[in-house]
Amino acid sequence: MHLAYTPQQQAFRAEVRAWLAANVPPAPLLTLECEEGYHQHVGWERQLASGNWGMVTWPEAYGGRGLDLIEWLIFEEEYWGAGAPLRVNQNGIFLLGPTIMEYGTPEQKERFLTPMAAGEKIWAQAWSEPGAGSDMAAIKTTAFRDGDHYVINGQKTWSSRASFADWGFGLFRTEEGSQRHKGLSFILFDLDTPGVTRRPIRQLHGHPGFAELFFDDVRVPVENRLAGEGEGWNVAMATAGFERGLMLRSPGRFQAAARRLVELFRQHEHAAAPSAREAVARAWMDAQAYAYNTYAVAAKIMAGGKIGAEASLNKIFWSELDRTMHRTAMQLLGAAAELRHLADGSINEWLEGYMFSLSGPIYAGSNEIQRNITAERLLGLPRVGAG
Amino acid sequence: MDMLIAPERLELAEAVRDYLAGTHGPEVLRRLDAGPNRDPAIWQGLVDMGLPGLLVPETHGGLGMGLLDAALIARECGRVCLAEPLVESAFVATPWLIAQGQTANLAAVVAGEYRPVAAHAINGWVADGEGESVASIDPLRRLAAPVEAQSDDPLLLDLGALMSAAQLVGLAEAMLDQAVEYAKIRTQFGQPVGAFQAIKHKLADVSVALEFARPVLWRAAQALDDGAESAALHVSHAKLVATDAAYLSAESAIQVHGAMGYTYEVDLHFWMKRAWALGGAWGSRAFHLARIDAAVIGAAHPIGPENTFA
Ligand SMILES: Cc1cc2nc3c(=O)[nH]c(=O)nc-3n(C[C@H](O)[C@H](O)[C@H](O)COP(=O)(O)OP(=O)(O)OC[C@H]3O[C@@H](n4cnc5c(N)ncnc54)[C@H](O)[C@@H]3O)c2cc1C
């Protein structure tokens, strides 16, 4: 344990800070859930990539900087501290990218990672189906082999970014008659392939942040399969591990929100409930605790360790922290909470954030599922009965 | 920047854990409760491991270790609900005396013959002191009215709060373990109660609270050891989250045990009562929250993502 940054780490922080100060758009972009905002965010990804900031931990060969996880955390701290835009590229860089690095062939790495880091191809995740939400092994959409192609038929849903994105990845049943976790394969597909129909779905806020995907004899080349045929479940679990574990929600995001909440509290202090004071202090505490834990996990991984089922604890913690912070802000705002724009004309980010925070405990494996995993895999409680 | 506690650094705490697990099981707590509460043989075992001298500089015959090492061991003391006053004497009073330059009696401290006590005004009592005894709900605590002058030194308070937090984490971990074990063996409706999701989720919540209390504790211990300007803030943070985790673990554990948990016969009560005691000792919730409030809302401390380790 050593709680000081090295001179190199400090220099790196200064470099990130300077670049962001010169490049972060002065006015917030439109939400990435609407078409125009989506394209603005893609533009931002390309700007990041032009400075090689797309994914600093990736090898330079794929457009990264070959840096370690502590430097990644420093980057993220500066990123969120600077109020930079949300990452429209997150499904690619945080989830699929690490999965390809682990399971991809050299050709797949070459083909997919570089355009990913460059922000040229934006990815959508396609696991869920109408009948397969928490119970993902109930997937029915099939991808049967026809020569050197798979032919996909069926339906996916709630696929984030899929309304506008370029490519998708997901699990498909490649073995006829297979059950549950068996016979599934992890396949990447171009969302513009003939036979794919996207139906954008409006979310709480009114924008089409996710979409239904219909597959009607969609032909996808076999080389788009990641890892072996029938091995998809294990690959998907690795992706889910990245999602719940270290990458998807870096602490800086919540620390920045906690700081904004403190500022909001100061403005509304005269009218705040006594409980709000504690909730605000608590927001800072929990965001800090999440940061310390992330630094510890990063150090563990750098020392050769792995994150296992503890990723579930992480996911429960950040998603509920986010919701609590935004609820506190809604309560501080009082009668202004419902307004889509605040008095100065700016978007009511607390309201937008509160709506989004309600989805945190649902996506990436609901928090009930995470609690089941915690109880069964970390605490060793019996699996029989419910759950 | 390294938040990981190096494996070598965990070795002593692990040795203490093994030793206490082998010699200080719940039957010891029951025996002490039925008798005089303290046992020279247990104390001698701790002395033989060098623990009273853990924080004493090597030049004075001690082990010369730091507050993080002490916090790791205090957590183990909490795990077994240790009755002997090791933590308050060796990890709170002793480093405070050393910080004040009072080094005359350190040889006796290391030898386990002199156990300094720490009287701080915030408590109103002294643990294992000489004065008139004061009853605690914790049957193994020996509180006394202070006869010595009570200090109001914030360093003493921070040491007491930090080490209470460390014990609270250990207590909470032990209560969670007890609840998990009970939930596996108690059957109702033809299945272990631990297979019911309501029980699983309750205990999962305790795991979450602990997972995010531990790094706060280690960070606070390191900050106080480093003499960081913000150490008091981090100690308060640790005390709050450790207290909350311990109360949550205690209430969840008693619930999982059903009526058994409400009896004096199931050992859980020892841990639960220690948690109540330490949760209020060395600064109440209100006290520690006020320090955080002043730093965070009162803008005395830089916050936000670039200031994680400020
Ligand atoms: C904003 C958002 C973005 C999303 N993005 C994507 C995406 O990009 N790609 C994608 O594939 N999917 C995505 N999803 C879908 C998401 O993965 C599912 O919503 C999630 O897995 C839960 O499935 P469900 O909605 O069908 O809920 P259900 O599984 O129907 O669950 C309903 C309720 O029952 C509970 N429940 C279910 N099973 C159990 C159990 N065993 N024990 C206890 N409680 C249980 C759940 O916790 C929940 O509270 C997204 C969802 C949201 C909200």
Side-chain angles (χ1 to χ4, degrees):
Chain A
M1 165 121 14
H2 179 69
L3 302 186
Y5 295 99
T6 63
Q8 291 92 313
Q9 288 168 342
Q10 287 169 355
F12 176 67
R13 185 186 289 284
E15 188 189 349
V16 178
R17 190 172 292 185
W19 190 86
L20 289 168
N23 287 275
V24 170
L29 306 182
L30 294 175
T31 168
L32 61 81
E33 315 284 31
C34 73
E35 187 160 10
E36 195 184 343
Y38 171 88
H39 291 292
Q40 290 178 348
H41 281 78
V42 173
W44 166 246
E45 288 292 340
R46 293 182 184 162
Q47 198 175 336
L48 273 173
S50 72
N52 271 15
W53 296 112
M55 195 53 196
V56 295
T57 52
W58 284 18
E60 288 176 37
Y62 303 127
R65 290 172 173 248
L67 299 179
D68 68 24
L69 287 173
I70 300 300
E71 288 158 319
W72 175 68
L73 283 167
I74 292 170
F75 172 79
E76 289 279 309
E77 288 175 344
E78 291 299 320
Y79 189 89
W80 295 105
L86 294 173
R87 300 294 302 267
V88 68
N89 210 359
Q90 70 177 29
N91 289 330
I93 52 175
F94 294 150
L95 307 177
L96 180 61
T99 315
I100 291 180
M101 289 202 206
E102 200 163 321
Y103 293 95
T105 61
E107 296 73 39
Q108 287 173 328
K109 291 180 186 170
E110 202 61 43
R111 183 172 158 213
F112 294 114
L113 293 178
T114 308
M116 192 183 285
E120 280 163 24
K121 295 274 180 272
I122 303 298
W123 290 81
Q125 297 193 74
W127 317 109
S128 304
E129 298 180 4
S134 298
D135 186 11
M136 203 167 88
I139 281 175
K140 288 208 190 91
T141 303
T142 55
F144 294 148
R145 196 71 180 253
D146 177 22
D148 52 6
H149 279 73
Y150 288 109
V151 182
I152 305 183
N153 279 291
Q155 182 192 349
K156 297 285 178 183
T157 192
W158 308 313
S159 180
S160 299
R161 310 285 92 78
S163 301
F164 315 113
D166 306 296
W167 274 68
F169 58 95
L171 275 190
F172 298 89
R173 203 160 282 290
T174 42
E175 186 188 326
E176 203 155 355
S178 63
Q179 296 293 323
R180 308 291 299 163
H181 316 79
K182 303 212 177 76
L184 297 169
S185 298
F186 193 116
I187 295 174
L188 320 181
F189 53 95
D190 187 333
L191 277 162
D192 289 329
T193 314
V196 176
T197 308
R198 324 181 192 202
R199 190 184 73 83
I201 305 174
R202 291 179 81 196
Q203 297 179 321
L204 278 191
H205 40 64
H207 303 295
F210 49 32
E212 257 177 319
L213 295 173
F214 298 91
F215 299 85
D216 194 8
D217 283 335
V218 176
R219 294 182 69 82
V220 174
V222 168
E223 63 260 25
N224 286 13
R225 189 192 67 225
L226 201 56
E229 189 167 282
E231 289 171 13
W233 183 264
N234 289 338
V235 184
M237 287 304 106
T239 313
F242 296 125
E243 185 166 28
R244 288 165 202 163
L246 197 61
M247 289 269 154
L248 184 67
R249 292 289 177 259
S250 81
R253 178 175 177 137
F254 306 110
Q255 292 170 293
R259 175 162 63 194
R260 287 198 305 277
L261 185 62
V262 168
E263 283 156 12
L264 185 75
F265 179 83
R266 289 186 191 134
Q267 288 158 26
H268 293 264
E269 192 169 352
H270 56 282
S275 60
R277 230 190 147 89
E278 178 166 354
V280 170
R282 186 96 217 176
W284 175 82
M285 284 193 264
D286 288 349
Q288 285 292 108
Y290 184 59
Y292 305 151
N293 194 55
T294 304
Y295 268 89
V297 172
K300 186 173 154 193
I301 293 174
M302 284 161 65
K306 277 202 177 281
I307 343 179
E310 311 91 75
S312 292
L313 300 172
N314 246 24
K315 201 262 154 166
I316 295 169
F317 193 78
W318 63 248
S319 59
E320 296 184 7
L321 159 64
D322 198 38
R323 185 175 58 186
T324 306
M325 277 199 285
H326 284 89
R327 183 202 310 126
T328 303
M330 290 289 277
Q331 292 169 348
L332 283 169
L333 284 169
E338 67 170 314
L339 302 179
R340 290 213 86 157
H341 295 89
L342 295 177
D344 62 1
S346 65
I347 290 173
N348 183 353
E349 296 289 359
W350 288 114
L351 170 61
E352 299 295 324
Y354 179 60
M355 287 192 274
F356 185 60
S357 78
L358 295 175
S359 68
I362 299 171
Y363 66 74
S366 80
N367 287 13
E368 287 71 32
I369 298 297
Q370 305 309 327
R371 286 182 165 87
N372 292 347
I373 294 172
T374 300
E376 289 163 9
R377 301 207 201 133
L378 291 176
L379 298 178
L381 287 169
R383 274 165 158 271
V384 289
Chain B
M1 179 56 64
D2 184 6
M3 261 300 284
L4 200 64
I5 306 176
E8 315 80 77
R9 201 151 182 199
L10 295 169
E11 278 167 15
L12 180 59
E14 278 160 10
V16 171
R17 177 186 291 200
D18 291 344
Y19 171 75
L20 290 173
T23 59
H24 202 278
E27 66 291 345
V28 173
L29 302 180
R30 276 179 249 133
R31 173 168 63 76
L32 294 174
D33 185 23
N37 288 350
R38 296 287 175 269
D39 178 349
I42 296 174
W43 179 256
Q44 193 54 47
L46 302 170
V47 174
D48 292 344
M49 296 193 83
L51 300 182
L54 186 88
L55 296 173
V56 174
E58 283 166 297
T59 47
H60 289 276
L63 297 179
M65 297 180 112
L67 291 175
L68 177 59
D69 307 287
L72 283 161
I73 292 168
R75 170 204 190 185
E76 298 307 329
C77 298
R79 275 191 158 271
V80 296
C81 205
L82 185 77
E84 298 299 318
L86 177 73
V87 176
E88 298 242 346
S89 163
F91 302 164
V92 179
T94 299
W96 183 59
L97 291 177
I98 295 171
Q100 307 211 311
Q102 295 186 33
T103 54
N105 294 320
L106 289 180
V109 168
V110 173
E113 288 151 11
Y114 168 52
R115 304 181 204 176
V117 295
H120 195 282
I122 203 160
N123 289 328
W125 43 251
V126 181
D128 285 78
E130 300 292 318
E132 196 186 327
S133 113
V134 179
S136 164
I137 184 65
D138 177 349
L140 302 181
R141 233 156 120 78
R142 265 199 192 169
L143 299 184
V147 285
E148 48 284 274
Q150 297 184 69
S151 167
D152 58 4
D153 185 347
L155 172 63
L156 177 57
L157 188 143
D158 285 337
L159 287 164
L162 174 69
M163 293 304 161
S164 299
Q167 292 176 86
L168 283 160
V169 165
L171 290 160
E173 290 172 335
M175 289 187 281
L176 175 59
D177 290 349
Q178 289 166 42
V180 166
E181 286 318 305
Y182 187 78
K184 285 186 199 164
I185 54 164
R186 168 69 173 167
T187 48
Q188 285 290 280
F189 301 97
Q191 63 174 38
V193 294
F196 292 114
Q197 211 172 50
I199 299 291
K200 286 183 177 170
H201 287 197
K202 195 177 275 306
L203 296 178
D205 284 340
V206 181
S207 297
V208 174
L210 275 165
E211 183 79 353
F212 291 90
R214 279 183 291 253
V216 176
L217 172 63
W218 310 140
R219 192 251 190 282
Q222 189 63 49
L224 195 59
D225 199 74
D226 292 343
E229 215 176 302
S230 57
L233 168 64
H234 302 301
V235 167
S236 283
H237 185 183
K239 180 77 190 327
L240 277 175
V241 292
T243 302
D244 288 353
Y247 265 88
L248 181 69
S249 187
E251 290 174 6
S252 306
I254 189 173
Q255 188 66 22
V256 167
H257 278 80
M260 289 294 275
Y262 197 70
T263 67
Y264 210 94
E265 284 151 25
V266 165
D267 303 309
L268 176 67
H269 77 100
F270 287 113
W271 279 263
M272 192 155 59
K273 290 166 181 170
R274 183 71 50 81
W276 302 339
L278 295 178
W282 298 102
S284 64
R285 228 176 166 285
F287 173 85
H288 289 291
L289 198 55
R291 291 212 302 193
I292 292 172
D293 189 317
V296 171
I297 299 176
H301 179 78
I303 62 173
E306 327 83 86
N307 295 306
T308 303
F309 290 98

